[in-house]
């Protein structure tokens, strides 16, 4: 049962954008260009222009989100995602590492904040407006790194004190939601497999004039990483998905990108095997 093999994880990451729409300058631009609509143009200011301290935090948060999506499967529209228990301890350890790095970046940013605001006055010139900068006592609340692990509810498990008819309706509603979300999670896995196979097939092919297409070393490593990830993410133990994953892993095992570049015969052989996997399964 999926309730015994997975948990839900809700990750809440927020970062101050450091941007502000400048209404006054926007109106000036619209007037200067003789635009008829006041909404024809907007000017957005980068409040800390010329400094990358905030952008480092933003890039870190984006990297955490991307990693989180790779390690988990979609579940609820509210943001909760499905995490296989096979990956739980590695996931939690890495997430804690990300959180510590995030905290260090925030601490450094707050320490530098007064200097950054002063530097922005020079960088922005007449666009600078000190009232647009949060006070240092409030800036910490602009950042958030929160997460919680939750059990996956059982289908039909509705423990509320309501009438039998309403309860039955709610159970049917949730059962439908549960099935839809499980189907969505499985589709996500099949999409990852299909995208990886399609990219391999396309890059190992030749252009119309017979010239070999160029590809990066990550073409092989990314596909193998995806195979390793899917061995954990296959929470329903879908045999067809596992067979496709295993065949691709066997096809690429021990290969380097340079091998495929230097040997046309090997390149053709791998492409044929990849295409066979694509043809054998109904994606």
């Amino acid at each position: 049962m999926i309730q015994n093999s997975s948990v839900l994880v809700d990750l809440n990451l927020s970062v101050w954008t450091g941007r502000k729409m400048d209404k006054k300058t926007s109106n000036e631009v619209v007037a200067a260009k003789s635009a008829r609509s006041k909404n024809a143009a907007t000017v957005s200011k980068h409040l800390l222009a010329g400094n990358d301290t905030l952008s480092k935090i933003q890039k870190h948060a984006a990297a955490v989100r991307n990693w989180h999506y790779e390690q988990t499967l979609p579940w609820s529209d509210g943001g909760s995602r499905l995490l296989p228990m096979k990956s739980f301890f590695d996931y939690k350890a890495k997430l804690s590492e990300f959180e510590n790095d995030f905290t260090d970046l925030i601490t450094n940013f707050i320490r530098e904040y007064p200097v950054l605001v002063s530097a922005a006055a020079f960088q922005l010139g007449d666009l600078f407006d000190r009232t647009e900068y949060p006070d240092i006592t409030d800036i910490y609340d602009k950042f958030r790194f929160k997460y919680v692990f939750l059990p996956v509810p059982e289908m039909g498990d509705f423990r509320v004190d309501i009438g039998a008819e309403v309860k039955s309706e709610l159970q049917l509603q949730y059962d439908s939601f549960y099935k839809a979300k499980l189907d969505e999670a499985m589709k996500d896995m099949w999409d990852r497999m299909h995208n990886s196979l399609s990219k391999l097939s396309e890059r190992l092919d030749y252009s119309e004039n017979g010239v070999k297409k160029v590809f990066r070393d990550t073409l092989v490593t990314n596909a193998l990483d995806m195979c390793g990830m899917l061995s954990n993410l296959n929470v329903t133990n879908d045999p067809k998905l596992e067979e496709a994953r295993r065949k691709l892993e066997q096809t690429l095992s021990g290969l380097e990108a340079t091998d495929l570049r230097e040997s046309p015969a090997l390149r053709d052989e791998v492409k044929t095997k990849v295409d066979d996997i694509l043809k054998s399964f109904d994606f």
Side-chain angles (χ1 to χ4, degrees):
M1 293 177 63
I2 193 173
Q3 292 79 14
N4 298 328
S5 63
S6 307
V7 294
L8 296 178
V9 55
D10 199 336
L11 177 64
N12 188 344
L13 268 175
S14 61
V15 177
W16 183 46
T17 63
R19 293 187 177 275
K20 186 80 173 180
M21 191 186 85
D22 190 326
K23 293 182 180 179
K24 180 175 178 294
T25 305
S26 297
N27 291 334
E28 291 173 355
V29 170
V30 169
K33 297 299 182 181
S34 301
R36 295 184 180 182
S37 173
K38 292 182 179 180
N39 299 323
T42 57
V43 176
S44 178
K45 293 190 296 188
H46 190 335
L47 297 180
L48 297 178
N51 189 282
D52 66 351
T53 306
L54 179 60
S55 66
K56 287 181 180 178
I57 303 174
Q58 294 168 340
K59 290 176 182 177
H60 179 71
V64 174
R65 289 190 190 96
N66 289 337
W67 170 83
H68 170 65
Y69 293 144
E70 288 177 353
Q71 300 295 319
T72 58
L73 296 168
W75 188 254
S76 79
D77 295 336
S80 295
R81 291 179 66 86
L82 199 66
L83 174 68
M85 285 306 299
K86 290 180 180 179
S87 306
F88 178 80
F89 293 105
D90 288 340
Y91 174 93
K92 192 173 185 305
K94 187 63 177 179
L95 191 62
S96 296
E97 183 182 320
F98 278 135
E99 183 179 20
N100 291 335
D101 291 342
F102 186 82
T103 301
D104 290 343
L105 287 169
I106 302 304
T107 301
N108 182 58
F109 175 74
I110 293 175
R111 184 170 56 247
E112 294 184 13
Y113 185 65
V115 177
L116 296 178
V117 174
S118 297
F122 173 76
Q123 294 289 342
L124 293 177
D126 292 340
L127 291 174
F128 181 78
D129 181 353
R130 183 62 183 85
T131 64
E132 294 177 332
Y133 294 78
D135 189 81
I136 193 169
T137 57
D138 301 322
I139 197 69
Y140 187 80
D141 293 332
K142 301 292 183 182
F143 302 91
R144 183 178 295 107
F145 194 118
K146 301 289 185 183
Y147 57 89
V148 62
F149 297 100
L150 303 165
V152 180
E154 290 187 19
M155 189 164 59
D157 184 14
F158 234 99
R159 303 180 188 182
V160 288
D161 187 16
I162 52 177
E165 183 177 345
V166 176
K167 184 174 182 178
S168 176
E169 181 182 348
L170 292 179
Q171 284 178 333
L172 288 173
Q173 229 175 41
Y174 180 75
D175 289 352
S176 177
F177 164 86
Y178 184 95
K179 184 179 183 306
K181 291 306 174 182
L182 192 56
D183 289 345
E184 184 180 345
M186 290 304 300
K187 182 180 182 302
D188 182 84
M189 286 187 285
W190 278 107
D191 286 345
R192 295 190 196 192
M193 172 63 73
H194 184 266
N195 291 339
S196 184
L197 288 166
S198 297
K199 187 172 183 178
L200 277 165
S201 177
E202 189 272 330
R203 298 318 301 171
L204 293 176
D205 205 351
Y206 295 81
S207 59
E208 292 182 0
N209 58 4
V211 177
K212 292 186 293 185
K213 292 184 178 180
V214 177
F215 57 84
R216 297 183 179 182
D217 291 351
T218 53
L219 181 71
V220 175
T221 56
N222 285 348
L224 285 172
D225 288 344
M226 185 276 304
C227 286
M229 201 174 301
L230 284 190
S231 66
N232 290 332
L233 289 178
N234 190 359
V235 291
T236 61
N237 295 316
D238 186 325
K240 288 187 176 180
L241 178 64
E242 172 57 20
E243 185 178 359
R245 185 203 70 80
R246 182 180 54 78
K247 284 185 175 180
L248 179 58
E249 190 172 54
Q250 289 177 344
T251 298
L252 299 178
S253 182
L255 290 181
E256 300 284 345
T258 51
D259 300 330
L260 298 173
R261 293 192 188 100
E262 294 173 0
S263 173
L266 180 60
R267 183 186 185 118
D268 292 342
E269 179 185 347
V270 170
K271 176 173 167 50
T272 298
K273 290 182 178 179
V274 167
D275 288 343
D276 285 343
I277 300 172
L278 276 168
K279 294 173 185 175
S280 299
F281 297 92
D282 182 15
F283 293 100

